[in-house]
Amino acid sequence: MKMSKDYSQYFDFREAKIIREEDGKTTLRLNGRHIQIQSAPSYKDEKKRGKESVRIHYDNAIPDDMREFGRDKSYFIMTYGCQMNEHDTEVIRGLLEEMGYVQAEERRDADVILLNTCAIRENAEDKVFGELGHLKKLKLEKPGLILGVCGCMSQEAAVVNRLMTRNPHVDLVFGTHNIHRLPHLLREVSFSREMVIEVWSKEGDIIENLPKKREGMRAWVNIMYGCDKFCTYCIVPYTRGKERSRLPEDVLAEVRELARQGYKEITLLGQNVNAYGKDFKDRAYRFADLMDDIRKIDIPRVRFTTSHPRDFDDHLIEVLAKGGNLVEAIHLPFQSGSTEVLKRMSRKYTREQFLELVGKIRSAIPGAVLSSDIIVGFPGETEEQFLETLSLVREAEIAMAYTFIYSPREGTPAFEMEDNVPMAVKQDRLNRLNELIAEMSCESNRQFEGRTVEILVEGQSKSNPNVLSGRTTSNKLVHFEGPKEWIGHLMQVRITKPTTWYLNAEAAEPPRLATALSHGA
Ligand code: 5AD
Ligand code: SF4
């Protein structure tokens, strides 16, 4: 029998036997397992940037007949990767809890286990397949367990192929664009006991009003989805789709509600927050305008991540310079210090333009603390070009950085370039870069010695319950002694002894405890 939808362009299905085709779904048998494909990912479609306008859906209540579905059952989610994934996990938890599920303490107790995955580098993917290997045993012991894979890896055809052909113990695969479909998909898996695959390649829509189960006193707020930058090494534009911004009124309403609930800090999230609003056809409202409006909301701290130097405009610098709840920590990934490498990465700025931007930021925001993301060993990177990366860290006074060895990602333009820097050289460059970052961090931390600064107390130290940790507005980690009642509060501490990665401090003034969270988390 021939499949009405041609999945053969994505998967090698010579081993598979088609069982049925109905309502656009194809069910086949592979290695003794029935697999129901509702839709599968395609790089070809993920590359396309449709002209159709973004539709926003506000009506996403869980169907009434699904509200009891998870009663007496529990879930466990493992989250890999960036804050976007962490926040997606909060949405998934919100959906599951509205269905009656509760969070399990341990994975072996759970009825549903989900792996929210990251595709950015190969080692992130290896971790997930390793974990799936471990979970196979649990699945054998507990056949009723529903094991699901979601997040960025699910958007890759090669991954979905591998799950179908070599991981028949997986029950559910869904992608980053159809998280809201989870209740329906769980029902489908439970009733059919087939492996259900629903991954949408075409994004397009924004789903509002999804439940979110947040934790602690800090909240993430999505302001936009997707990325249109297509840096040549990066898989994100394929796994997260085209850039689309939430309407300002929806973002502002969410932030006001978080303020009302007593959250102390929000982080605005987007793969490239500086592109916020570029897709609006009916208004000229950009990231700087959004920040200016959020500045007026009574929430103590506002962060954002991640920004692209190319779109970081003067208006944004002007707004950030107004301070208030807009903090001075700015994460500004530059990736490489060599204009030549930046060109091959398709970053669309030069070393000089990056330095000019840093200069503008520093003159407008005197206390600015800059952090960055840096890649070493990009195809063709020479020793001289790597040395330019080191010198840019110094010239731009980067206080902290996430550093990575280049990892080829299938489907990206750089994958076609010759990966010609030997692994030993990449490792050596990473080590040298990390040594420099440690030196820069130490130097930046040293400047805090003796200063009294405001911190948000985040939690207790794992090794010593008398020690609390918190963060300054400049995003420095601070350790100091105090009772756990201070957790969740803003307070003043005096920095006694800076170290390379954190600051030791003592309480200067206890917090005003009346301002506790009212959202009950
Ligand atoms: N290899 C290594 N690092 C990568 N990043 C993105 N794609 C790759 C890749 N293929 C890094 C970039 C980005 C961060 C989130 O991950 O530095 O800013
Ligand atoms: Fe990836 Fe570049 Fe988009 Fe960042 S801006 S998500 S590095 S493509």
Side-chain angles (χ1 to χ4, degrees):
M1 188 158 114
K2 201 170 157 355
M3 282 178 261
S4 58
K5 265 195 213 153
D6 184 11
Y7 287 117
S8 63
Q9 60 173 313
Y10 318 126
F11 313 108
D12 181 2
F13 273 144
R14 274 166 297 195
E15 308 287 310
K17 180 173 180 320
I18 295 176
I19 305 290
R20 60 174 191 273
E21 294 214 275
E22 59 188 11
D23 307 332
K25 294 183 228 165
T26 303
T27 305
L28 39 94
R29 195 169 66 226
L30 187 68
N31 301 332
R33 178 94 207 243
H34 281 199
I35 304 178
Q36 189 189 116
I37 307 175
Q38 314 225 4
S39 51
S42 145
Y43 269 138
K44 231 169 59 200
D45 291 343
E46 282 162 359
K47 226 178 262 183
K48 288 185 195 146
R49 288 295 184 261
K51 295 258 185 304
E52 66 277 15
S53 53
V54 172
R55 280 181 307 162
I56 305 177
H57 303 264
Y58 289 96
D59 179 22
N60 283 291
I62 308 256
D64 281 340
D65 62 330
M66 300 284 312
R67 288 191 175 270
E68 294 284 298
F69 193 83
R71 201 176 162 163
D72 301 326
K73 294 198 198 114
S74 63
Y75 70 88
F76 193 89
I77 308 178
M78 276 168 265
T79 310
Y80 302 81
C82 67
Q83 285 113 327
M84 192 65 76
N85 262 17
E86 297 275 352
H87 188 42
D88 283 350
T89 290
E90 293 183 337
V91 173
I92 295 170
R93 291 172 54 197
L95 288 165
L96 290 170
E97 298 202 4
E98 288 214 348
M99 291 170 74
Y101 286 94
V102 293
Q103 189 166 344
E105 294 277 323
E106 307 254 1
R107 69 193 76 173
R108 81 176 90 89
D109 302 330
D111 300 287
V112 175
I113 297 180
L114 296 177
L115 273 57
N116 189 3
T117 62
C118 168
I120 200 113
R121 281 169 293 274
E122 198 178 355
N123 56 7
E125 297 202 354
D126 293 344
K127 266 194 234 158
V128 169
F129 280 112
E131 187 60 45
L132 281 176
H134 297 143
L135 289 168
K136 198 170 187 170
K137 207 169 135 247
L138 189 60
K139 178 79 189 180
L140 284 173
E141 287 164 18
K142 266 179 88 167
L145 167 70
I146 295 179
L147 178 57
V149 177
C150 58
C152 287
M153 277 171 67
S154 318
Q155 296 291 146
E156 293 181 85
V159 168
V160 174
N161 183 6
R162 186 165 162 189
L163 291 174
M164 290 202 279
T165 51
R166 304 201 344 234
N167 294 268
H169 59 299
V170 169
D171 302 291
L172 173 61
V173 183
F174 61 101
T176 56
H177 305 308
N178 59 332
I179 291 174
H180 59 289
R181 294 265 308 146
L182 180 60
H184 304 272
L185 296 173
L186 278 177
R187 178 162 56 186
E188 191 60 46
V189 174
S190 301
F191 293 146
S192 72
R193 300 310 306 172
E194 293 170 342
M195 180 198 276
V196 173
I197 296 176
E198 188 183 271
V199 180
W200 295 356
S201 293
K202 286 226 58 73
E203 62 305 309
D205 292 1
I206 291 181
I207 318 289
E208 288 291 344
N209 296 338
L210 288 174
K212 292 169 192 139
K213 175 88 166 106
R214 293 182 161 107
E215 251 173 15
M217 73 304 295
R218 293 178 300 157
W220 287 305
V221 178
N222 274 127
I223 62 165
M224 61 179 302
Y225 302 95
C227 181
D228 285 350
K229 280 278 180 280
F230 287 101
C231 302
T232 54
Y233 51 80
C234 186
I235 202 161
V236 168
Y238 310 89
T239 62
R240 292 278 172 177
K242 74 172 176 188
E243 280 174 2
R244 51 218 192 274
S245 308
R246 288 179 68 199
L247 294 179
E249 46 272 36
D250 292 333
V251 175
L252 292 170
E254 183 170 349
V255 175
R256 282 196 197 99
E257 175 57 21
L258 292 169
R260 197 193 60 74
Q261 290 177 1
Y263 280 91
K264 300 289 190 293
E265 180 178 302
I266 57 164
T267 303
L268 306 176
L269 281 184
Q271 249 77 39
N272 172 16
V273 289
N274 311 77
Y276 177 81
K278 282 190 169 179
D279 53 327
F280 293 150
K281 297 200 174 72
D282 59 338
R283 52 183 113 191
Y285 187 96
R286 294 289 167 84
F287 186 52
D289 301 300
L290 184 70
M291 291 299 270
D292 210 15
D293 281 339
I294 291 180
R295 200 174 60 79
K296 295 166 198 147
I297 298 177
D298 188 16
I299 200 143
R301 291 177 172 194
V302 180
R303 302 186 187 279
F304 59 94
T305 197
T306 220
S307 31
H308 191 297
R310 162 112 173 159
D311 296 322
F312 209 108
D313 57 29
D314 292 351
H315 186 198
L316 178 60
I317 297 175
E318 195 186 302
V319 171
L320 292 179
K322 295 181 187 176
N325 57 3
L326 308 184
V327 299
E328 70 278 31
I330 298 175
H331 188 62
L332 198 55
F334 70 76
Q335 313 298 358
S336 167
S338 151
T339 296
E340 190 49 46
V341 174
L342 288 170
K343 200 164 163 198
R344 276 184 286 125
M345 289 177 162
S346 193
R347 292 288 292 179
K348 302 190 175 72
Y349 54 85
T350 62
R351 174 193 178 92
E352 289 68 33
Q353 284 166 332
F354 180 75
L355 278 169
E356 192 189 322
L357 171 63
V358 169
K360 279 193 211 166
I361 293 174
R362 291 211 183 280
S363 61
I365 311 163
V369 173
L370 298 187
S371 56
S372 200
D373 292 350
I374 305 168
I375 296 176
V376 299
F378 188 75
E381 185 191 66
T382 63
E383 173 66 14
E384 289 68 38
Q385 289 168 339
F386 169 67
L387 291 176
E388 287 189 87
T389 294
L390 292 186
S391 65
L392 189 56
V393 169
R394 282 193 198 279
E395 270 182 66
E397 286 180 56
I398 301 297
M400 246 306 289
Y402 298 102
T403 57
F404 309 104
I405 286 178
Y406 165 70
S407 170
R409 306 280 56 216
E410 200 176 340
T412 62
F415 191 76
E416 309 302 324
M417 302 176 193
E418 195 192 346
D419 185 17
N420 56 357
V421 182
M423 195 32 125
V425 174
K426 288 179 177 168
Q427 193 59 57
D428 175 61
R429 288 183 188 165
L430 184 73
N431 295 346
R432 284 150 71 200
L433 176 60
N434 285 344
E435 271 169 34
L436 174 60
I437 298 297
E439 185 192 321
M440 300 299 291
S441 173
C442 192
E443 172 58 26
S444 164
N445 287 354
R446 215 174 44 79
Q447 296 168 20
F448 282 77
E449 184 155 10
R451 276 170 57 185
T452 298
V453 290
E454 181 202 78
I455 61 160
L456 174 57
V457 189
E458 289 175 7
Q460 273 171 313
S461 148
K462 283 202 181 77
S463 51
N464 181 353
N466 296 326
V467 174
L468 300 177
S469 62
R471 286 203 182 253
T472 62
T473 47
S474 51
N475 213 20
K476 300 280 182 194
L477 182 62
V478 178
H479 291 313
F480 66 107
E481 284 192 9
K484 71 175 192 312
E485 287 68 34
W486 291 356
I487 295 171
H489 295 273
L490 293 160
M491 63 179 286
Q492 300 287 323
V493 295
R494 199 166 21 254
I495 307 300
T496 50
K497 191 166 168 286
T499 71
T500 301
W501 303 118
Y502 61 90
L503 308 170
N504 289 301
E506 60 192 16
E509 207 181 282
R512 280 173 295 140
L513 293 180
T515 55
L517 266 184
S518 66
H519 68 292

